[in-house]
Amino acid sequence: MAKDNPVIELSGIKKSFVTGVGIIPVLKGISFKIYKGEFVAVMGPSGSGKSTCMNIVGCLDSATSGKFILDGKDVSAKTSDELAEIRNKKLGFVFQNFNLLGKRNLIDNVSLPLVYRGISKSARDEKAKKLLDRVGLKGFETYVPNQLSGGMKQRVAIARALVGDPEVILADEPTGNLDSKTSEEILELFKELNKKMNITIIMITHEEELARETSRIINIKDGMISYDGKSNKFRK
Ligand code: ADP
Ligand code: MG
């Protein structure tokens, strides 16, 4: 691990939302560095700011103040168009609700992020097929998501997250809609991808047993980091 070159570096990130009842401070100064190949679990109570933080790391939203460096580039003050391009090139997303296109087959779902990159359809489809195989869905290429179980749908979403060769995969409660056995299987898949492909993964979860299987836990409480360290030493 090149300790001096983090993939992600947040310094003093603050985020407030302007609402009808006033300004609500949500993130109150978040700082951490994440290096290539890490598998990090982000924990914390509901409403503590986990998704807000991940939306900033995912270039889906901008911080109110603070500095965010992604893959060596300062993205703190980018326009939304610039953020969209960074997002497509460097990040892969996995969500609790899978976010698949229900009427399109699995090849189309997985290859979608490549459409914006000017890659030919045959090359896109070939890559999607390879990744579906990688996540254990060989033979299901022409199925549509509604024909699949929740765990299979999440595998499709993981293949889609991988298709653009991202620097980092961001997963927000990826097992939130899955039973405990399927959750464990999805976690095993993440662990395998992390180990064999050296993919950097940041996973939000409120399930402590799952978080403890990663190498590092960042716990957010009331908009601040209350723990950042080895998963096996984590105390709430
Ligand atoms: P978590 O993911 O840890 O459950 P969130 O980051 O989603 O928490 O939310 C943290 C707090 O910020 C919550 O109180 C939530 O209501 C508030 N919040 C999130 N997004 C917005 C928004 N767009 N406008 C106003 N408040 C928001
Ligand atoms: Mg959340």
Side-chain angles (χ1 to χ4, degrees):
M1 259 193 273
K3 273 287 173 198
D4 46 339
N5 279 324
V7 194
I8 285 168
E9 180 169 6
L10 299 192
S11 318
I13 290 288
K14 294 185 182 176
K15 177 71 179 178
S16 304
F17 291 106
V18 181
T19 72
V21 293
I23 298 171
I24 302 175
V26 172
L27 299 180
K28 300 168 183 169
I30 297 273
S31 304
F32 57 73
K33 294 178 184 175
I34 292 176
Y35 295 89
K36 183 158 180 57
E38 281 198 273
F39 187 0
V40 181
V42 175
M43 293 196 69
S46 178
S48 57
K50 303 182 296 295
S51 293
T52 302
C53 185
M54 291 296 264
N55 288 344
I56 292 168
V57 172
C59 297
L60 296 157
D61 201 356
S62 308
T64 308
S65 64
K67 200 164 165 185
F68 169 30
I69 295 179
L70 173 61
D71 198 22
K73 291 204 179 64
D74 191 339
V75 291
S76 319
K78 296 282 184 192
T79 66
S80 56
D81 280 357
E82 289 168 327
L83 287 178
E85 195 184 334
I86 294 165
R87 206 156 61 222
N88 182 253
K89 278 205 185 125
K90 304 210 181 260
L91 304 167
F93 294 89
V94 179
F95 299 100
Q96 178 170 1
N97 295 320
F98 319 123
N99 288 14
L100 301 173
L101 302 172
K103 290 180 181 160
R104 305 290 289 274
N105 70 29
L106 302 195
I107 294 266
D108 287 353
N109 268 282
V110 172
S111 63
L112 188 67
L114 299 180
V115 171
Y116 314 106
R117 291 200 189 181
I119 297 170
S120 75
K121 179 156 173 25
S122 59
R124 294 198 303 260
D125 289 1
E126 195 181 324
K127 183 112 197 248
K129 214 173 152 198
K130 215 171 103 192
L131 284 165
L132 283 165
D133 187 9
R134 187 73 191 73
V135 300
L137 291 173
K138 196 179 172 67
F140 292 92
E141 292 84 1
T142 59
Y143 282 54
V144 295
N146 287 344
Q147 294 173 288
L148 307 179
S149 68
M152 290 164 92
K153 284 182 191 164
Q154 202 57 301
R155 285 173 191 269
V156 178
I158 292 168
R160 181 185 55 192
L162 288 167
V163 82
D165 299 314
E167 286 293 328
V168 181
I169 287 194
L170 300 172
D172 193 345
E173 306 267 10
T175 63
N177 280 339
L178 304 174
D179 62 67
S180 55
K181 180 169 172 284
T182 310
S183 296
E184 192 56 51
E185 287 166 6
I186 291 296
L187 187 80
E188 284 305 319
L189 175 60
F190 275 134
K191 279 165 76 174
E192 189 190 315
L193 295 169
N194 170 251
K195 209 165 165 186
K196 293 198 179 144
M197 298 168 80
N198 201 32
I199 300 209
T200 311
I201 303 173
I202 307 176
M203 176 183 76
I204 296 182
T205 181
H206 58 258
E207 289 168 85
E208 199 174 322
E209 322 85 88
L210 297 185
R212 283 195 187 278
E213 291 191 47
T214 68
S215 45
R216 172 178 170 193
I217 292 177
I218 295 176
N219 197 60
I220 298 182
K221 221 183 221 172
D222 196 21
M224 287 179 288
I225 292 179
S226 63
Y227 179 89
D228 181 358
K230 284 193 173 20
S231 298
N232 55 12
K233 300 222 168 94
F234 173 64
R235 298 279 176 277
K236 263 191 193 158

